[in-house]
Amino acid sequence: ADDDERSIRLYALDLSSRASTPTSSLTLTTEFAVNAGRAGASTSAHDSIPHDNHLKGARWSPDGVCLLTCGAEDNTYRVYDIPANLDDVPPASDEPIGPHGLPADRLWPALRIKERESVYDYAWYPGMSANDPGTCVFASTARAQPVHLWDAVTGASRASYVAHNHLDEPIAALSVAFASDGTRLLAGYKNAIRAWDVSRPGRDCDVYRTLEPKRRVRGEGGGERVGQAGLVSCIATAPAKTNGLFAAGSYGEPGVGVYHEPTGEQALVLSGGHRQRGGVTHLAWSPCGNYLYTGARRDGEILCWDVRNPDVGCVYRMRRAAEDTNQRVGFDVECSGRHLVSGGTDGCLRAYDLRTGEEVGAWRASADTVSDWAFHPGSSFAPPTPEGGDARGWTAPRGASASGHRHFRSPADGVDDDSDDDGEDGDAKVESPTNALQIWSFSVAEVS
């Protein structure tokens, strides 16, 4: 009886005064210094300057075993196998890495996959399980490339999904996501979303128009276009209980639309007089499927929408430090639905109580932009045991963050031996560990 009762308990991030501050249990930086001169990487001094390769997000696999990220400069996907107990990760080697003698990371990627062009987006297959290699795949989209389905075990390309414009020219998607049941692959384009059957790669797909053509009336000029305009920059599928809905964010007006998965029919648009300034770049659903959270570039607010009552506008706003950047700054919602955590340009992670939208805590994560946060899928189901786990195989509550942004500087910065002040300024730039993938441990309390 105790086991049954325990199995349905939910836990949430605890940032009260009696709880300990979240701590970084594992910090990985050297891997992202354009591979720090590792095999296959460039050997030039500038290309191996540490921390010039900021990260484009962090994604836990659905089973919580793997962590996926991507470098913005080297366009390389990296899959990490994260043990249930981080104490099992061996100490870092004392041998320095690369031409700058960087300290070795404690954990190296289990797999690296090099993309040909700049990566736009990537997403895990929702049925992924490390116990079934056939399900270990993720989809990605990159500049001038079709949507690829990658094998997360071997690194091979499993399939490609190609879209064409009205001139029959291949075009690249800006965003990608799987349908909630994993049978269809959704990709965002200008004024359209395309959907493929995952089992049927190629060019055959359904096209869902987000913006209808102008309706012309005899004797009158063209009418207004109806729908959601602009590049579809992000897609988020709702929980399965919503019977097949997904949300799409775009750079045009209105910034968010909600659609039916099977047909692509637009169910509603979210505006209500509340416009996010720079175009929507990130979406997240509440576990119940009733609320949608939206964030935009060059906008310092995350908006909460009640999709059951879209006409009333946003329910509340959550302030964050993102109003001065075009970079995507991601966020994530706990599986328990109690908190949302977001990064920011000030290097802090902020947690918000989703019952009220109020900020309930913040902690310093980086000296640079924190570009993404992801809760481990098992964090809301992990009882707070001192050892971080128990005989039933619970995983300690944890999350992952990605940090860093693009710095524009001279190729000589940090590598010129004849620079002023004996290279002190250059050394400071070289040694600053701003680009990092971090695994965080935190306290939890039972959801009442």
Coordinates of all heavy atoms in Angstrom, one line a residue, residues 271-341:
S271 N -3.7 36.6 -29.1 CA -3.2 38.0 -29.2 C -3.9 38.8 -28.0 O -3.2 39.2 -27.1 CB -3.5 38.6 -30.5 OG -4.9 38.5 -30.8
G272 N -5.2 39.0 -28.1 CA -5.9 39.7 -27.0 C -5.3 41.0 -26.7 O -5.4 41.5 -25.6
G273 N -4.7 41.7 -27.7 CA -4.1 43.0 -27.5 C -2.7 42.9 -26.9 O -2.1 44.0 -26.6
H274 N -2.2 41.7 -26.6 CA -0.9 41.6 -26.0 C 0.1 41.1 -27.0 O 0.1 39.9 -27.4 CB -0.9 40.7 -24.8 CG -1.9 41.1 -23.8 ND1 -1.6 42.0 -22.8 CD2 -3.2 40.7 -23.5 CE1 -2.7 42.2 -22.0 NE2 -3.6 41.4 -22.4
R275 N 1.0 41.9 -27.5 CA 1.9 41.6 -28.6 C 3.3 41.5 -28.0 O 3.8 42.4 -27.3 CB 1.9 42.5 -29.7 CG 2.9 42.2 -30.9 CD 2.8 43.2 -32.0 NE 3.6 42.8 -33.1 CZ 4.9 43.1 -33.3 NH1 5.5 43.9 -32.3 NH2 5.6 42.7 -34.3
Q276 N 4.0 40.4 -28.3 CA 5.4 40.3 -27.9 C 6.3 40.9 -29.0 O 6.1 40.6 -30.2 CB 5.8 38.8 -27.6 CG 5.0 38.3 -26.4 CD 5.5 36.9 -25.9 OE1 5.2 36.0 -26.6 NE2 6.1 36.8 -24.8
R277 N 7.3 41.7 -28.6 CA 7.9 42.6 -29.5 C 8.7 42.0 -30.6 O 8.5 42.4 -31.8 CB 8.9 43.5 -28.7 CG 8.3 44.4 -27.7 CD 9.3 45.4 -27.2 NE 10.6 44.8 -26.8 CZ 11.7 45.5 -26.5 NH1 11.6 46.9 -26.5 NH2 12.8 44.9 -26.2
G278 N 9.6 41.1 -30.4 CA 10.5 40.6 -31.4 C 10.1 39.4 -32.2 O 10.9 38.9 -32.9
G279 N 9.0 38.8 -31.9 CA 8.6 37.5 -32.6 C 8.8 36.4 -31.6 O 9.8 36.3 -30.9
V280 N 7.9 35.5 -31.5 CA 7.9 34.4 -30.5 C 9.0 33.4 -30.9 O 9.0 33.0 -32.1 CB 6.5 33.7 -30.5 CG1 6.5 32.5 -29.5 CG2 5.5 34.7 -30.0
T281 N 9.8 33.0 -30.0 CA 10.9 32.0 -30.2 C 10.8 30.8 -29.3 O 11.6 29.9 -29.6 CB 12.2 32.7 -30.0 OG1 12.3 33.3 -28.7 CG2 12.5 33.8 -31.0
H282 N 9.9 30.7 -28.4 CA 9.9 29.6 -27.5 C 8.4 29.4 -26.9 O 7.8 30.4 -26.6 CB 10.9 29.7 -26.4 CG 11.1 28.3 -25.6 ND1 11.9 27.3 -26.2 CD2 10.6 27.9 -24.5 CE1 11.9 26.3 -25.4 NE2 11.2 26.6 -24.3
L283 N 8.0 28.1 -26.9 CA 6.7 27.8 -26.4 C 6.8 26.6 -25.4 O 7.6 25.7 -25.6 CB 5.7 27.4 -27.5 CG 5.5 28.3 -28.7 CD1 4.9 27.6 -29.9 CD2 4.7 29.5 -28.2
A284 N 5.9 26.6 -24.4 CA 5.8 25.4 -23.5 C 4.4 25.3 -23.0 O 3.8 26.3 -22.7 CB 6.8 25.6 -22.4
W285 N 3.9 24.1 -23.0 CA 2.5 23.8 -22.5 C 2.6 23.4 -21.0 O 3.6 22.9 -20.5 CB 1.9 22.6 -23.2 CG 1.5 22.9 -24.6 CD1 2.3 22.8 -25.8 CD2 0.2 23.3 -25.1 NE1 1.6 23.2 -26.9 CE2 0.3 23.5 -26.5 CE3 -1.0 23.6 -24.5 CZ2 -0.8 23.9 -27.3 CZ3 -2.1 24.0 -25.2 CH2 -2.0 24.2 -26.6
S286 N 1.5 23.7 -20.3 CA 1.4 23.1 -18.9 C 1.0 21.7 -19.1 O 0.5 21.2 -20.1 CB 0.3 23.9 -18.2 OG -1.0 23.6 -18.8
P287 N 1.4 20.8 -18.0 CA 1.1 19.4 -18.1 C -0.4 19.1 -18.3 O -0.8 18.1 -18.9 CB 1.6 18.9 -16.8 CG 2.6 19.8 -16.4 CD 2.2 21.2 -16.9
C288 N -1.3 20.0 -17.9 CA -2.7 19.8 -18.0 C -3.2 20.1 -19.4 O -4.3 19.8 -19.8 CB -3.5 20.5 -17.0 SG -3.4 22.3 -17.1
G289 N -2.4 20.9 -20.2 CA -2.8 21.3 -21.5 C -3.7 22.5 -21.6 O -4.2 22.8 -22.7
N290 N -4.0 23.1 -20.4 CA -4.9 24.3 -20.4 C -4.2 25.6 -20.6 O -4.8 26.6 -21.0 CB -5.7 24.3 -19.1 CG -6.7 23.1 -19.0 OD1 -7.2 22.6 -20.0 ND2 -6.9 22.7 -17.8
Y291 N -2.9 25.6 -20.3 CA -2.1 26.9 -20.4 C -1.0 26.7 -21.3 O -0.3 25.7 -21.4 CB -1.7 27.3 -19.0 CG -2.8 27.5 -18.0 CD1 -3.2 26.5 -17.2 CD2 -3.4 28.7 -17.9 CE1 -4.3 26.7 -16.3 CE2 -4.5 28.9 -17.1 CZ -4.9 27.9 -16.2 OH -5.9 28.1 -15.4
L292 N -0.7 27.8 -22.0 CA 0.5 27.9 -22.9 C 1.3 29.1 -22.5 O 0.8 30.2 -22.3 CB 0.0 28.1 -24.4 CG 1.1 28.1 -25.4 CD1 1.8 26.8 -25.5 CD2 0.4 28.5 -26.8
Y293 N 2.7 28.9 -22.5 CA 3.6 29.9 -22.1 C 4.5 30.3 -23.3 O 5.0 29.4 -24.0 CB 4.5 29.4 -20.9 CG 3.7 28.9 -19.7 CD1 3.3 27.6 -19.6 CD2 3.1 29.8 -18.8 CE1 2.6 27.1 -18.5 CE2 2.3 29.4 -17.7 CZ 2.1 28.1 -17.6 OH 1.3 27.6 -16.6
T294 N 4.6 31.6 -23.5 CA 5.3 32.0 -24.7 C 6.4 33.0 -24.4 O 6.2 33.9 -23.5 CB 4.3 32.7 -25.7 OG1 3.7 33.9 -25.1 CG2 3.1 31.7 -26.0
G295 N 7.5 32.9 -25.1 CA 8.6 33.9 -24.9 C 9.1 34.3 -26.3 O 9.0 33.6 -27.3
A296 N 9.6 35.6 -26.3 CA 10.0 36.2 -27.6 C 11.4 36.8 -27.5 O 11.9 37.1 -26.4 CB 9.0 37.2 -28.0
R297 N 12.0 37.0 -28.6 CA 13.3 37.6 -28.7 C 13.1 39.1 -28.4 O 12.0 39.7 -28.8 CB 14.0 37.4 -30.0 CG 13.2 37.9 -31.2 CD 14.0 37.6 -32.5 NE 13.3 38.2 -33.7 CZ 13.7 38.1 -34.9 NH1 14.8 37.4 -35.2 NH2 13.0 38.6 -35.9
R298 N 14.1 39.8 -27.8 CA 14.0 41.2 -27.5 C 12.7 41.5 -26.7 O 12.1 42.6 -26.9 CB 14.1 42.1 -28.8 CG 15.4 41.8 -29.6 CD 15.6 42.9 -30.6 NE 16.0 44.2 -29.9 CZ 17.2 44.5 -29.5 NH1 18.2 43.6 -29.6 NH2 17.5 45.6 -28.9
D299 N 12.4 40.7 -25.8 CA 11.2 40.8 -25.0 C 11.5 40.3 -23.6 O 11.9 39.2 -23.5 CB 10.0 40.1 -25.6 CG 8.7 40.5 -25.0 OD1 8.5 40.3 -23.8 OD2 7.8 41.1 -25.7
G300 N 11.3 41.1 -22.6 CA 11.6 40.7 -21.2 C 10.5 40.1 -20.5 O 10.5 40.1 -19.2
E301 N 9.5 39.5 -21.2 CA 8.4 38.9 -20.5 C 8.0 37.5 -21.1 O 8.1 37.3 -22.3 CB 7.1 39.8 -20.5 CG 7.3 41.1 -19.8 CD 6.1 42.0 -19.9 OE1 5.4 41.9 -21.0 OE2 5.8 42.7 -19.0
I302 N 7.6 36.6 -20.2 CA 7.0 35.3 -20.6 C 5.5 35.5 -20.4 O 5.2 35.9 -19.2 CB 7.6 34.1 -19.9 CG1 9.1 34.0 -20.2 CG2 6.9 32.8 -20.3 CD1 9.8 33.0 -19.3
L303 N 4.7 35.2 -21.3 CA 3.3 35.4 -21.2 C 2.6 34.0 -20.9 O 3.0 33.0 -21.5 CB 2.6 36.0 -22.4 CG 3.2 37.4 -22.9 CD1 2.4 37.9 -24.0 CD2 3.3 38.3 -21.7
C304 N 1.6 34.0 -20.0 CA 0.8 32.8 -19.8 C -0.6 33.0 -20.4 O -1.2 34.1 -20.2 CB 0.6 32.6 -18.3 SG -0.6 31.3 -17.8
W305 N -1.0 32.1 -21.2 CA -2.3 32.1 -21.9 C -3.2 30.9 -21.5 O -2.7 29.8 -21.3 CB -2.1 32.0 -23.4 CG -1.2 33.1 -24.0 CD1 0.1 33.0 -24.1 CD2 -1.6 34.3 -24.6 NE1 0.6 34.1 -24.7 CE2 -0.4 34.9 -25.0 CE3 -2.8 35.0 -24.8 CZ2 -0.4 36.2 -25.6 CZ3 -2.8 36.2 -25.4 CH2 -1.6 36.8 -25.8
D306 N -4.4 31.2 -21.3 CA -5.4 30.2 -21.0 C -6.1 29.8 -22.4 O -6.9 30.7 -22.9 CB -6.5 30.6 -20.0 CG -7.4 29.5 -19.6 OD1 -7.5 28.5 -20.3 OD2 -8.1 29.7 -18.5
V307 N -5.8 28.7 -22.9 CA -6.3 28.4 -24.3 C -7.7 28.1 -24.3 O -8.4 28.0 -25.3 CB -5.5 27.2 -24.9 CG1 -4.0 27.5 -25.1 CG2 -5.6 25.9 -24.0
R308 N -8.4 27.9 -23.1 CA -9.8 27.7 -23.0 C -10.5 29.1 -23.2 O -11.7 29.1 -23.5 CB -10.2 27.1 -21.7 CG -9.6 25.7 -21.5 CD -9.7 25.3 -20.1 NE -9.0 26.2 -19.2 CZ -8.9 26.1 -17.8 NH1 -9.5 25.1 -17.2 NH2 -8.2 26.9 -17.1
N309 N -9.8 30.2 -22.9 CA -10.4 31.5 -22.9 C -9.4 32.5 -23.6 O -8.9 33.4 -23.0 CB -10.8 32.0 -21.5 CG -11.8 31.2 -20.8 OD1 -13.0 31.1 -21.2 ND2 -11.3 30.4 -19.8
P310 N -9.2 32.3 -24.9 CA -8.2 33.1 -25.6 C -8.5 34.5 -25.7 O -7.6 35.4 -25.9 CB -8.0 32.4 -26.9 CG -9.4 31.7 -27.2 CD -9.8 31.3 -25.8
D311 N -9.8 34.9 -25.7 CA -10.2 36.3 -25.9 C -9.9 37.2 -24.8 O -9.9 38.4 -25.0 CB -11.7 36.3 -26.2 CG -12.1 35.6 -27.5 OD1 -11.2 35.5 -28.4 OD2 -13.2 35.1 -27.6
V312 N -9.6 36.6 -23.6 CA -9.3 37.5 -22.5 C -7.9 38.0 -22.4 O -7.5 38.8 -21.5 CB -9.7 36.8 -21.1 CG1 -11.1 36.3 -21.1 CG2 -8.7 35.6 -20.9
G313 N -7.1 37.5 -23.3 CA -5.7 37.9 -23.3 C -4.8 37.1 -22.4 O -5.3 36.1 -21.9
C314 N -3.6 37.5 -22.1 CA -2.7 36.8 -21.3 C -3.2 36.8 -19.8 O -3.7 37.8 -19.4 CB -1.3 37.2 -21.4 SG -0.9 38.8 -20.7
V315 N -3.0 35.7 -19.1 CA -3.4 35.6 -17.7 C -2.5 36.4 -16.8 O -2.9 37.2 -15.9 CB -3.4 34.2 -17.3 CG1 -3.9 34.0 -15.8 CG2 -4.4 33.4 -18.2
Y316 N -1.2 36.3 -17.0 CA -0.2 37.1 -16.3 C 1.2 37.1 -17.1 O 1.3 36.3 -18.0 CB 0.0 36.6 -14.9 CG 0.4 35.1 -14.8 CD1 1.6 34.6 -15.1 CD2 -0.6 34.2 -14.3 CE1 1.9 33.3 -15.0 CE2 -0.3 32.8 -14.1 CZ 1.0 32.4 -14.5 OH 1.3 31.0 -14.4
R317 N 2.1 37.9 -16.6 CA 3.4 38.0 -17.3 C 4.5 37.7 -16.3 O 4.4 38.1 -15.1 CB 3.6 39.4 -17.8 CG 2.5 39.9 -18.8 CD 2.6 41.4 -19.0 NE 1.5 41.8 -19.9 CZ 1.8 42.2 -21.2 NH1 3.0 42.1 -21.7 NH2 0.8 42.5 -22.0
M318 N 5.5 37.1 -16.7 CA 6.7 36.8 -15.9 C 7.9 37.5 -16.4 O 8.3 37.3 -17.6 CB 6.9 35.3 -15.8 CG 5.8 34.5 -15.2 SD 5.9 32.7 -15.3 CE 5.2 32.5 -17.0
R319 N 8.5 38.4 -15.6 CA 9.6 39.2 -16.1 C 10.9 38.4 -16.0 O 11.2 37.6 -15.1 CB 9.8 40.4 -15.1 CG 8.7 41.4 -15.2 CD 8.7 42.2 -16.5 NE 10.0 42.8 -16.7 CZ 10.4 43.5 -17.8 NH1 9.5 43.5 -18.9 NH2 11.6 44.0 -18.0
R320 N 11.7 38.6 -17.1 CA 13.0 38.0 -17.2 C 14.0 38.9 -17.9 O 13.5 39.9 -18.6 CB 13.0 36.6 -17.8 CG 12.5 36.7 -19.3 CD 12.7 35.3 -20.0 NE 12.2 35.4 -21.4 CZ 12.4 34.4 -22.2 NH1 13.0 33.3 -21.9 NH2 12.0 34.5 -23.5
A321 N 15.3 38.7 -17.9 CA 16.3 39.5 -18.5 C 16.5 39.0 -19.9 O 17.4 38.2 -20.2 CB 17.6 39.5 -17.7
A322 N 15.7 39.4 -20.9 CA 15.9 39.0 -22.3 C 15.5 40.1 -23.3 O 15.3 39.8 -24.4 CB 15.1 37.7 -22.5
E323 N 15.3 41.3 -22.8 CA 14.8 42.4 -23.6 C 15.8 43.0 -24.6 O 15.4 43.7 -25.5 CB 14.2 43.5 -22.8 CG 15.2 44.2 -21.8 CD 15.3 43.5 -20.5 OE1 14.8 42.4 -20.4 OE2 15.9 44.1 -19.6
D324 N 17.1 42.6 -24.4 CA 18.1 43.3 -25.2 C 18.9 42.3 -26.1 O 20.0 42.5 -26.5 CB 19.1 44.0 -24.3 CG 18.5 45.1 -23.5 OD1 17.6 45.8 -24.1 OD2 18.9 45.3 -22.4
T325 N 18.3 41.1 -26.4 CA 19.0 40.1 -27.2 C 18.1 39.5 -28.3 O 16.8 39.3 -28.0 CB 19.6 39.0 -26.3 OG1 20.3 38.1 -27.2 CG2 18.5 38.3 -25.6
N326 N 18.6 39.2 -29.4 CA 17.9 38.4 -30.4 C 18.1 36.9 -30.2 O 17.4 36.1 -30.9 CB 18.4 38.8 -31.8 CG 17.9 40.1 -32.3 OD1 16.7 40.4 -32.1 ND2 18.7 40.9 -33.0
Q327 N 18.9 36.5 -29.3 CA 19.2 35.1 -29.0 C 17.9 34.4 -28.4 O 17.2 35.1 -27.6 CB 20.3 35.0 -28.1 CG 20.7 33.5 -27.8 CD 22.0 33.5 -26.9 OE1 22.5 34.5 -26.5 NE2 22.4 32.3 -26.6
R328 N 17.7 33.2 -28.8 CA 16.6 32.4 -28.2 C 17.0 32.2 -26.7 O 18.0 31.6 -26.5 CB 16.4 31.1 -28.9 CG 15.8 31.2 -30.3 CD 15.7 29.9 -30.9 NE 15.2 29.9 -32.3 CZ 14.1 29.5 -32.8 NH1 13.3 28.9 -31.9 NH2 13.8 29.6 -34.0
V329 N 16.1 32.5 -25.8 CA 16.3 32.2 -24.4 C 15.1 31.3 -24.0 O 14.0 31.7 -23.9 CB 16.3 33.5 -23.6 CG1 16.5 33.1 -22.1 CG2 17.4 34.4 -24.0
G330 N 15.5 30.0 -23.7 CA 14.5 29.0 -23.5 C 14.1 28.9 -22.1 O 14.7 29.5 -21.1
F331 N 13.0 28.1 -21.8 CA 12.5 27.9 -20.5 C 11.8 26.5 -20.5 O 11.5 26.0 -21.6 CB 11.5 29.0 -20.0 CG 10.4 29.3 -21.0 CD1 9.2 28.6 -21.0 CD2 10.6 30.4 -21.9 CE1 8.2 28.9 -21.9 CE2 9.6 30.7 -22.8 CZ 8.4 29.9 -22.8
D332 N 11.4 26.1 -19.3 CA 10.8 24.7 -19.2 C 9.8 24.7 -18.0 O 10.0 25.5 -17.1 CB 11.8 23.6 -19.1 CG 11.2 22.2 -19.4 OD1 10.2 22.2 -20.0 OD2 11.9 21.3 -19.0
V333 N 8.8 23.9 -18.1 CA 7.8 23.7 -17.1 C 8.0 22.4 -16.4 O 8.2 21.4 -17.1 CB 6.4 23.8 -17.7 CG1 5.3 23.6 -16.6 CG2 6.2 25.2 -18.3
E334 N 7.9 22.4 -15.1 CA 8.0 21.1 -14.3 C 6.9 20.1 -14.7 O 5.8 20.6 -15.1 CB 7.9 21.4 -12.8 CG 9.1 21.7 -12.1 CD 8.9 21.9 -10.6 OE1 8.0 22.6 -10.3 OE2 9.6 21.3 -9.9
C335 N 7.2 18.8 -14.7 CA 6.2 17.8 -14.9 C 5.0 17.9 -14.0 O 3.9 17.6 -14.3 CB 6.8 16.4 -14.9 SG 7.9 16.1 -16.2
S336 N 5.3 18.4 -12.8 CA 4.2 18.6 -11.8 C 3.4 19.9 -12.1 O 2.3 20.0 -11.5 CB 4.8 18.8 -10.4 OG 5.6 19.9 -10.3
G337 N 3.9 20.7 -12.9 CA 3.1 21.9 -13.3 C 3.2 23.1 -12.3 O 2.5 24.1 -12.5
R338 N 4.1 23.0 -11.3 CA 4.1 24.0 -10.3 C 5.0 25.2 -10.7 O 4.7 26.3 -10.4 CB 4.6 23.4 -9.0 CG 4.8 24.4 -7.8 CD 3.5 25.0 -7.5 NE 2.4 24.1 -7.1 CZ 2.2 23.6 -5.9 NH1 3.1 24.0 -4.9 NH2 1.2 22.8 -5.6
H339 N 6.2 24.9 -11.3 CA 7.1 26.0 -11.6 C 7.5 26.0 -13.0 O 7.5 25.0 -13.7 CB 8.4 25.8 -10.7 CG 8.2 25.9 -9.2 ND1 8.2 24.8 -8.4 CD2 7.9 27.0 -8.5 CE1 7.9 25.3 -7.2 NE2 7.8 26.6 -7.2
L340 N 8.0 27.2 -13.5 CA 8.6 27.4 -14.7 C 10.0 28.0 -14.4 O 10.1 28.9 -13.6 CB 7.8 28.3 -15.6 CG 8.4 28.7 -17.0 CD1 7.2 28.9 -18.0 CD2 9.2 30.0 -17.0
V341 N 11.0 27.6 -15.1 CA 12.4 28.1 -14.9 C 12.9 28.6 -16.2 O 12.7 28.0 -17.3 CB 13.3 27.1 -14.3 CG1 14.8 27.6 -14.3 CG2 12.9 26.7 -12.9

